[in-house]
Amino acid sequence: MTRPESRLPGRPDERAASRSPAPGGCADPLLGLVLVLAELTLGALPVLVVAATTLWPPHGPSRGFVDIWGPTLVLAALAVVPAGLAVALLRHRWHWAGGAQVL
């Protein structure tokens, strides 16, 4: 017979206490939608700059590296932010918001 002060591993009350609570309600999908809309808004400006610099010829002397790689590096930096955010959200059990960032 086991003594009441000894706790067996895997009892329901211990398993429930060890888990961190997931976000409740519609906060998870709503956060995913808000983040995607914010990234689309912030990502539109560098895309427009890249399109404008490639479609129209320069009207003056070339500035070298900034003309070619500046907007491209900004787009690359904007791609790193959602990737890191997706990892952080998925690790904290925000499945919908993290999944939207992965996509």
Side-chain angles (χ1 to χ4, degrees):
M1 185 165 165
T2 60
R3 292 179 292 207
E5 64 269 359
S6 68
R7 295 192 172 180
L8 297 175
R11 294 174 91 179
D13 57 341
E14 291 176 8
R15 285 184 298 206
S18 67
R19 276 189 256 163
S20 62
C26 64
D28 191 12
L30 185 63
L31 178 66
L33 180 65
V34 167
L35 288 173
V36 167
L37 291 176
E39 288 165 6
L40 287 174
T41 304
L42 291 175
L45 184 61
V47 168
L48 291 176
V49 169
V50 169
T53 57
T54 56
L55 292 177
W56 292 291
H59 296 290
S62 176
R63 294 182 300 205
F65 182 80
V66 176
D67 277 345
I68 298 170
W69 291 104
T72 306
L73 292 176
V74 170
L75 284 174
L78 284 176
V80 170
V81 171
L85 195 57
V87 170
L89 287 169
L90 288 172
R91 286 183 58 101
H92 291 287
R93 301 182 62 187
W94 290 76
H95 300 295
W96 283 91
Q101 294 302 303
V102 168
L103 293 178

